[in-house]
Amino acid sequence: MKLIASLTSPYARKVRIVLADKKIDCPLEVDIPWDENTRVADYNPLGKVPVLELDDGGTLYDSRVIVEYLDNISPVARLLPQENRPLIQVRRWEALADGITDAAVAIVMEKRRPVDKQLGSAIQRQNEKIARGLAALSHDLGERQWCNGEAYSLADIAVGCCLGYLDFRFPEINWREDYPNLAALVERLSARPSFADTVPPPL
């Protein structure tokens, strides 16, 4: 297998953390979709990373699809529950975390447009999604150590990548002060080698 990804993509980071947690050896090919010579579209018609190239030459894309595949091919450190109810709860956490990340990415893309072309209303709408999403993450986490109860899971990985991306792109958002339970979760996650080894390089 081979992972095609950008080192700054929060979705690719999610996959890289899963690979590390499950001790799956998988070469990384860095390819940035915005570069002139990118080949990402050769692997994914949507032109997005991450993409997992399989041994038979087939490809998987969208981080949610890739991480489910990876969790199923190795019994090491299962990250998705087997029972339906807890599985749906983990997927709900992932959907919320990815949705916040989607809003943050949308702001980044909007701000890459010429200043006179940027839509302030669109940026504001995405900021509101982030604010509501953070409040929901904190509320749902409560006093628990891990998102889905007593065990580390894909829910924690998704939330950690989301909050890491906010730190990376929006350091002015002081979510740690507003939500100390999320700050404590990220501190626990940051101690894990899989998280420490996948921190995005400085801008």
Side-chain angles (χ1 to χ4, degrees):
M1 297 189 299
K2 177 174 67 175
L3 179 66
I4 297 95
S6 160
L7 297 181
T8 60
S9 165
Y11 312 104
R13 187 184 186 196
K14 192 202 313 183
V15 174
R16 293 170 65 204
I17 289 170
V18 169
L19 284 166
D21 283 341
K22 296 185 70 66
K23 304 187 184 311
I24 298 174
D25 186 24
C26 181
L28 172 64
E29 179 179 309
V30 175
D31 194 335
I32 301 170
W34 317 115
D35 283 358
E36 182 179 352
N37 297 321
T38 181
R39 295 186 58 238
V40 171
D42 294 341
Y43 299 100
N44 177 359
L46 301 177
K48 298 167 65 176
V49 292
V51 182
L52 185 68
E53 184 178 35
L54 304 176
D55 293 337
D56 63 3
T59 57
L60 299 177
Y61 32 85
D62 189 278
S63 64
R64 297 185 206 186
V65 173
I66 296 172
V67 297
E68 182 171 353
Y69 173 76
L70 294 174
D71 200 46
N72 285 327
I73 65 171
S74 169
V76 175
R78 291 306 297 256
L79 299 168
L80 287 166
Q82 299 301 294
E83 296 181 8
N84 186 57
R85 184 63 181 269
L87 172 61
I88 291 302
Q89 289 301 314
V90 167
R91 286 304 197 187
R92 181 179 182 274
W93 277 102
E94 185 182 21
L96 178 56
D98 282 2
I100 297 169
T101 305
D102 290 344
V105 170
I107 294 173
V108 171
M109 299 310 298
E110 186 66 25
K111 289 187 173 181
R112 287 181 178 172
R113 289 156 50 90
V115 175
D116 61 332
K117 305 280 189 192
Q118 293 178 20
L119 294 176
S121 60
I123 292 173
Q124 177 61 26
R125 188 161 53 250
Q126 301 303 333
N127 273 317
E128 290 170 359
K129 292 180 185 179
I130 293 172
R132 292 194 304 267
L134 287 171
L137 288 178
S138 177
H139 176 271
D140 290 352
L141 179 61
E143 299 301 318
R144 292 197 303 268
Q145 183 175 18
W146 302 113
C147 291
N148 208 41
E150 297 302 317
Y152 170 82
S153 72
L154 180 62
D156 303 288
I157 296 173
V159 172
C161 290
C162 166
L163 296 174
Y165 188 71
L166 293 183
D167 280 346
F168 178 59
R169 293 290 188 184
F170 302 93
E172 69 276 10
I173 298 179
N174 194 6
W175 58 266
R176 283 179 173 80
E177 182 175 324
D178 294 335
Y179 305 113
N181 61 340
L182 295 181
L185 173 64
V186 167
E187 186 174 351
R188 287 190 291 275
L189 293 172
S190 297
R192 299 178 67 90
S194 57
F195 272 83
D197 293 343
T198 55
V199 173
L203 289 170

